[in-house]
Amino acid sequence: MKTSKFAESRRNFLKTVIPAGGMICFGCPNLSKANTTSPMNQDQQFLERIQTELKITHEELFNYRFKYFIERMEKFADYIGRDKVISMLKNATDDCNSERIPNLEATCLKDFINPILKSENYKIRLDIQVLEFTDKVYQHKVTNCLWAKTFLAKNAGDIGYATICHGDISGATAFNPKLKLELTKTLMEGHDCCDHRYSWEG
């Protein structure tokens, strides 16, 4: 049976003018049910929703994670100059690393390197070729890097270097003052590889 234009207009008028309590009195059970959910139940439902597994690739994750960061850094560069933004990012990266508590329980180089080599995320996101691994020296070559791929695709290798690669150096010392890193080449800067060389002093 076709609904008349008058009936439709009347229904819209009632929804607009009559308060929610009045609508319930007119026989709107669905509205009544919607208002019975307690704030605690809503909070629990929200927590359950946000804890559901998200189906996404590593590449999609990185593209989403860094897209807005890069856009904002580019905008800051328009405001104050790119060189200043890069310098500030490097300083902020060093400061964040320096605030980390050194792992003074680490007694050798392997305490730092082994977790990296065993990391499943690193195995997926990096292609690493180990060149040397002794008690005092660890050197590897990185030939593929998802961080570099992500930033370079957006012509933001300098932002990526200041945020990611530059932090490797101060991050090593923050882990333990005896640990030093030499880094002369990075994929992020357009080189053919990254040449991390860690040494344990003392």
Side-chain angles (χ1 to χ4, degrees), residues 11 66 71 123:
R11 184 159 51 248
F66 291 113
E71 288 177 354
K123 289 177 183 178

Side-chain angles (χ1 to χ4, degrees), residues 76-89:
F76 280 132
D78 291 341
Y79 297 153
I80 65 174
R82 199 172 190 89
D83 289 344
K84 185 171 289 188
V85 167
I86 299 304
S87 177
M88 291 172 66
L89 280 172

Side-chain angles (χ1 to χ4, degrees), residues 118-183:
K118 292 177 181 179
S119 168
E120 290 301 321
N121 281 331
Y122 281 152
K123 289 177 183 178
I124 293 171
R125 299 168 181 175
L126 298 168
D127 279 335
I128 296 176
Q129 179 183 349
V130 178
L131 303 177
E132 182 179 1
F133 196 0
T134 67
D135 290 340
K136 295 295 184 181
V137 174
Y138 170 82
Q139 183 172 0
H140 69 210
K141 179 167 68 173
V142 178
T143 54
N144 282 299
C145 169
L146 184 52
W147 285 269
K149 182 179 186 299
T150 303
F151 279 88
L152 291 175
K154 299 183 182 303
N155 297 315
D158 54 347
I159 294 175
Y161 179 87
T163 307
I164 308 297
C165 314
H166 178 78
D168 288 350
I169 300 172
S170 57
T173 304
F175 176 82
N176 192 293
K178 295 180 179 180
L179 184 63
K180 307 298 179 186
L181 169 63
E182 296 175 46
L183 183 61

Side-chain angles (χ1 to χ4, degrees), residues 5-202:
K5 289 185 178 179
F6 174 77
E8 183 65 29
S9 298
R10 181 175 178 275
R11 184 159 51 248
N12 289 336
F13 172 77
L14 290 174
K15 288 180 180 178
T16 304
V17 176
I18 299 178
M23 292 295 287
I24 294 172
C25 293
F26 273 105
C28 297
N30 289 336
L31 182 58
S32 177
K33 288 179 182 178
N35 289 333
T36 59
T37 305
S38 69
M40 184 173 294
N41 286 339
Q42 288 178 345
D43 290 345
Q44 183 59 37
Q45 291 171 7
F46 175 71
L47 289 175
E48 290 174 358
R49 289 201 311 274
I50 64 174
Q51 289 170 10
T52 55
E53 185 177 354
L54 183 64
K55 302 291 185 181
I56 190 171
T57 67
H58 288 261
E59 185 173 31
E60 289 170 338
L61 173 64
F62 269 50
N63 286 336
Y64 180 80
R65 176 183 178 184
F66 291 113
K67 176 179 184 293
Y68 299 104
F69 171 74
I70 292 172
E71 288 177 354
R72 281 155 182 74
M73 291 304 104
E74 296 278 7
K75 187 58 64 176
F76 280 132
D78 291 341
Y79 297 153
I80 65 174
R82 199 172 190 89
D83 289 344
K84 185 171 289 188
V85 167
I86 299 304
S87 177
M88 291 172 66
L89 280 172
K90 288 181 178 179
N91 290 337
T93 300
D94 288 342
D95 287 345
C96 287
N97 281 334
S98 67
E99 291 169 4
R100 293 167 52 189
I101 300 175
N103 186 358
L104 299 178
E105 294 180 0
T107 58
C108 63
L109 180 61
K110 291 180 180 179
D111 289 339
F112 177 78
I113 298 299
N114 283 334
I116 296 175
L117 297 180
K118 292 177 181 179
S119 168
E120 290 301 321
N121 281 331
Y122 281 152
K123 289 177 183 178
I124 293 171
R125 299 168 181 175
L126 298 168
D127 279 335
I128 296 176
Q129 179 183 349
V130 178
L131 303 177
E132 182 179 1
F133 196 0
T134 67
D135 290 340
K136 295 295 184 181
V137 174
Y138 170 82
Q139 183 172 0
H140 69 210
K141 179 167 68 173
V142 178
T143 54
N144 282 299
C145 169
L146 184 52
W147 285 269
K149 182 179 186 299
T150 303
F151 279 88
L152 291 175
K154 299 183 182 303
N155 297 315
D158 54 347
I159 294 175
Y161 179 87
T163 307
I164 308 297
C165 314
H166 178 78
D168 288 350
I169 300 172
S170 57
T173 304
F175 176 82
N176 192 293
K178 295 180 179 180
L179 184 63
K180 307 298 179 186
L181 169 63
E182 296 175 46
L183 183 61
T184 64
K185 297 196 299 183
T186 66
L187 291 166
M188 196 77 81
E189 296 173 290
H191 297 122
D192 61 335
C193 69
C194 306
D195 63 346
H196 297 74
R197 187 179 190 277
Y198 293 91
S199 59
W200 188 271
E201 299 178 352

